[in-house]
Amino acid sequence: MRNEVNILLRAVMAGIAISCGCICNLAIGGVAGAVLFTFGLLTVVHYQYKLYTGTAGFVTTWRSVGELVVVLAGNIIGCLLCGRGIAYAKPELSAAAANLLAARLNYSLPAAFILAVGCGFIMTTAVYFGRQKMFLPLLFGVPCFIICGFLHSIADACYYLACPVSFLSEHASSVLALYVSIVLGNFVGCNLYRLGELVKAKE
């Protein structure tokens, strides 16, 4: 039980760290916002917090699948704290989050899934290098997925939860379907590298 609580707390902190990057991106946007977003992932790797997209690519047992669910829940809690906090403190950023979500809702679910796969692949690659104290992939990976328009499940959780409650309520079912597509797409993308590992094993 103590281990699960530890994982949950580290996941909440990861959600908070990623939310800091999201707030920068909402406030500035463009290439500068994408680059500053990197602070969130660097913080996660440095403090060894538990992030869904930094964990999904390293699942090997059913127990680790259960831990991944705890990580996702903790990440969302962290995003909820920051999202609602920033919506209260800086309403203009809440409006920007609503505009971003409105654009997301124009994607079909298969399109959102595909865009999330791209993000998952980049994130697992970046975290893999980060764990070996090689941080350039982290510095380039985050701006890369943002500029490409790829979708990150935890970043999106912050954006959605920063939206006005009335907007979220109006589109609740569509937002939930979109979010599930992104979570699943991230999981697939995070595990794409395993295909390469299979090829290497057969050589």
Side-chain angles (χ1 to χ4, degrees):
M1 182 65 179
R2 181 179 296 179
N3 183 55
E4 284 75 12
V5 171
N6 185 348
I7 291 171
L8 180 64
L9 291 175
R10 290 162 64 198
V12 171
M13 290 306 302
I16 291 172
I18 292 300
S19 294
C20 289
C22 291
I23 293 166
C24 284
N25 196 31
L26 285 174
I28 300 173
V31 175
V35 172
L36 289 174
F37 189 108
T38 307
F39 171 82
L41 192 57
L42 285 170
T43 301
V44 168
V45 173
H46 176 74
Y47 287 116
Q48 297 183 347
Y49 293 152
K50 301 290 285 186
L51 182 66
Y52 175 76
T53 51
T55 306
F58 304 96
V59 169
T60 56
T61 65
W62 283 112
R63 178 180 174 81
S64 57
V65 171
E67 290 180 354
L68 184 64
V69 173
V70 174
V71 168
L72 179 59
N75 289 167
I76 292 173
I77 292 170
C79 291
L80 174 64
L81 294 172
C82 289
R84 295 322 305 160
I86 204 66
Y88 173 77
K90 301 199 75 173
E92 70 275 15
L93 294 187
S94 184
N99 290 335
L100 185 149
L101 177 53
R104 295 277 203 267
L105 290 172
N106 288 324
Y107 292 132
S108 67
L109 297 184
F113 177 87
I114 291 168
L115 293 172
V117 170
C119 177
F121 178 72
I122 291 172
M123 287 298 93
T124 293
T125 303
V127 170
Y128 182 84
F129 278 96
R131 289 180 176 183
Q132 300 178 59
K133 307 301 181 184
M134 293 183 283
F135 296 110
L136 279 180
L138 286 172
L139 293 172
F140 288 111
V142 173
C144 179
F145 90 71
I146 293 175
I147 292 169
C148 287
F150 295 157
L151 304 179
H152 187 283
S153 54
I154 309 310
D156 270 38
C158 177
Y159 296 138
Y160 301 173
L161 293 168
C163 289
V165 173
S166 58
F167 184 85
L168 275 179
S169 300
E170 181 181 353
H171 301 283
S173 59
S174 298
V175 171
L176 180 60
L178 174 68
Y179 192 69
V180 170
S181 296
I182 294 171
V183 169
L184 294 176
N186 279 172
F187 183 83
V188 171
C190 286
N191 287 279
L192 271 183
Y193 78 95
R194 296 183 192 271
L195 294 177
E197 295 296 321
L198 286 175
V199 172
K200 284 168 59 178
K202 293 179 179 179
E203 289 179 348

